[in-house]
């Protein structure tokens, strides 16, 4: 079923189902009466100054002078003479709790020329307050009678046969539906042209995914959200393949740096400083449940605070392979195509400790290389291993004889990134702070 969109949208007045006494009380409290559709406001007693070609008569049947549709229609035909009118008794409406509301007359008027509201009210034998300007368009007003507007589509849908009019009302609704369909097709075609251009630009890398989302309305985004994700995924895949091809062609290996140390030693800060020196945008892994979730093709990746439960050992070997022609990282919804030439890993574990956490049983074997997934596979992929303490960081090398990491002499550097190095001598008086917060 089609409903009248945007410019034909309907606003239902808040006092539409109030009794006469309730409406009078509200006007006394407000000193004003809001016209239909959010139109101009009018002070009590100023209704005589308002004129319109489109207006709506609304009143509860039990308070109206007209107890049946024939008497109301005869009054309109004999005394008011509008160009067009349509009458309906809203006798099936319900409130928010599903309870039936009072029966209400709704009469939509269209006049050849503007008429005074108070004049029409007088001719109907009603008070001015029951006649309201309908400023959302004549078609909208007539469509509202059977709740065929966007804003009233959740209300009871009255059959067109329940409307009494001086024109062919069912044909009117059909014609309006055709107009709406055509208007929506034109709008959809225009929107499709715009969205196609945005998707093309996204695929070509001229704009980012967020740029596309920012230029779309909510309804447009909802319709093409999956297309945006698919195009963005295909773009990232193409960029990753091109980047890896460039690396292989020029024999540029993927570099992996492993930083390990205790908490508060500044591992993440040091990793970011290394990434900045590389000069490329860098990605820092996020949630432990999906560490690559927000990866967007950055050429430097920081796997921050990496622990064995965050990634499978086989996946870690795959993404750190220096000469892999095509690398994908595991992600919750879509695996991510990696386009990086530097991976920096920060962890509380050394590479060997990390491996032993992954495969505790290997600790009982004399040679780690006897395992299918050996430690040597990971160790050979790491270009630099750096051990970090509160005071300094230095290069560490793996000794296969002792099966441990030894610090390389003369490589120690002062560590300005640790919590200890960044502490000041300022002490906080907690009692004073508490009293300031709660005077």
């Amino acid at each position: 079923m089609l409903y009248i969109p945007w410019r034909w949208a309907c606003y239902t007045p808040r006092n539409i189902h109030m009794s006469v006494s309730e409406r009078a009380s509200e006007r006394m409290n407000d000193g004003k009466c809001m016209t239909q559709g959010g139109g101009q406001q009018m002070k009590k007693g100023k209704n005589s100054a308002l004129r319109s070609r489109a207006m709506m008569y609304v009143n509860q049947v039990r308070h109206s002078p007209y107890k049946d549709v024939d008497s109301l229609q005869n009054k309109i035909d004999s005394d008011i003479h509008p160009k067009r009118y349509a009458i309906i008794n809203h006798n099936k409406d319900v409130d928010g709790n599903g309870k039936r509301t009072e029966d209400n007359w709704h009469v939509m008027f269209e006049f050849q020329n503007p008429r005074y509201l108070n004049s029409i009210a007088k001719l109907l034998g009603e008070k001015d307050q029951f006649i309201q300007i309908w400023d959302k368009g004549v078609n909208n007003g007539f469509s509202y009678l059977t709740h065929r507007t966007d804003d009233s589509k959740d209300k009871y849908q009255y059959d067109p046969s329940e409307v009494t009019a001086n024109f062919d009302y069912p044909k009117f609704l059909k014609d309006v539906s055709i107009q709406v369909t055509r208007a929506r097709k034109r709008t959809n075609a225009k929107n499709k042209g715009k969205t196609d251009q945005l998707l093309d630009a996204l695929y070509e890398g001229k704009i980012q995914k967020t740029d596309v989302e920012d230029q779309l309305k909510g309804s447009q985004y909802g319709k093409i959200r999956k297309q945006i994700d698919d195009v963005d995924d295909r773009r990232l895949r193409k960029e990753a393949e091109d980047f890896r091809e460039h690396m292989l062609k020029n024999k540029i290996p993927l570099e992996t740096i492993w930083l390990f140390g205790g908490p508060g030693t500044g591992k993440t800060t040091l990793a970011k400083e290394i990434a900045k020196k590389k000069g490329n945008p860098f990605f820092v892994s996020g949630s432990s449940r999906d560490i690559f979730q927000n990866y967007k093709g950055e050429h430097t990746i920081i796997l921050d605070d990496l622990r064995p439960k965050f990634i499978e050992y086989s996946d870690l070997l795959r993404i750190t392979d220096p000469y892999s022609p095509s690398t994908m990282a595991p992600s919750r919804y879509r695996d991510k195509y990696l386009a990086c030439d530097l991976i920096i890993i920060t962890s509380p574990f050394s590479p060997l400790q990390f491996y032993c956490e992954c495969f505790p049983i290997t600790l009982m074997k004399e040679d780690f290389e006897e395992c299918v997934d050996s430690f040597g596979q990971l160790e050979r992929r790491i270009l630099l291993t750096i051990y970090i303490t509160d005071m300094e960081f230095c290069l560490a090398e793996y000794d296969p004889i002792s099966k441990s990491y030894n610090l390389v002499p003369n490589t120690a550097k002062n560590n300005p990134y640790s919590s200890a190095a960044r502490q000041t001598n300022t002490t906080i008086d907690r009692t004073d702070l508490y009293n300031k917060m709660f005077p």
Side-chain angles (χ1 to χ4, degrees), residues 216-312:
L216 296 176
K217 296 179 180 179
S219 58
Q220 294 173 316
Y221 175 71
K223 292 177 182 177
I224 67 166
R225 180 178 59 183
K226 187 177 185 303
Q227 290 177 265
I228 295 173
D229 290 339
D230 290 343
V231 170
D232 190 51
D233 182 64
R234 185 66 185 87
R235 175 186 65 82
L236 293 174
R237 177 181 176 179
K238 182 176 182 298
E239 289 180 356
E241 291 172 346
D242 291 345
F243 187 79
R244 288 298 245 183
E245 183 179 347
H246 168 76
M247 291 178 64
L248 292 172
K249 182 178 179 180
N250 294 278
K251 298 181 179 180
I252 302 173
L254 168 69
E255 298 176 347
T256 300
I257 299 175
W258 192 292
L259 311 179
F260 73 99
T265 53
K267 298 184 295 294
T268 303
T269 305
L270 178 57
K272 291 180 179 179
E273 288 299 315
I274 297 172
K276 290 176 183 177
K277 291 179 180 179
K278 186 74 174 178
N280 294 323
F282 59 88
F283 163 76
V284 181
S285 60
S287 168
S288 60
R289 293 174 297 178
D290 191 356
I291 59 177
F292 287 99
Q293 179 178 4
N294 296 317
Y295 177 73
K296 301 298 181 185
E298 292 87 351
H299 294 334
T300 298
I301 294 176
I302 298 176
L303 298 181
D304 193 35
D305 197 31
L306 190 66
R307 299 165 188 259
K309 64 181 180 180
F310 294 174
I311 188 170
E312 294 289 337

Side-chain angles (χ1 to χ4, degrees), residues 335-354:
D335 285 353
K336 300 299 179 73
Y337 294 89
L338 299 185
C340 62
D341 55 9
L342 174 62
I343 295 178
I344 306 172
I345 298 173
T346 74
S347 178
F349 303 103
S350 71
L352 179 59
Q353 291 171 328
F354 187 95

Side-chain angles (χ1 to χ4, degrees), residues 32 72 106 125 146 153 159 269 314 358 373 386 412:
K32 298 178 181 179
L72 179 53
H106 282 71
T146 51
K153 62 185 179 182
D159 191 276
T269 305
S314 57
C358 292
D373 293 314
I386 300 175

Side-chain angles (χ1 to χ4, degrees), residues 194-207:
K194 176 184 177 181
T195 55
D196 285 350
Q197 291 177 0
L198 290 172
L199 291 174
D200 289 343
L202 174 63
Y203 182 72
E204 295 167 6
K206 296 178 181 178
I207 58 177

Side-chain angles (χ1 to χ4, degrees), residues 19 39 57 60 109 118 135 140 159 163 190 212 214 217 219 230 240 258 274 289 306 313 318 330 358 403 418 425:
S19 67
Y57 164 59
Q60 292 179 359
F109 293 104
N118 69 328
D135 59 2
N140 174 269
D159 191 276
V163 174
K190 181 179 179 181
V212 177
D214 290 344
K217 296 179 180 179
S219 58
D230 290 343
W258 192 292
I274 297 172
R289 293 174 297 178
L306 190 66
Y313 186 72
R318 183 160 47 82
C358 292
K403 293 183 175 60
S418 68
N425 294 324

Side-chain angles (χ1 to χ4, degrees), residues 26-33 42-44:
E26 181 176 88
R27 290 198 313 279
M28 289 178 66
N29 291 333
D30 292 345
K32 298 178 181 179
C33 177
M42 52 188 176
K43 295 182 179 180
K44 185 177 179 181

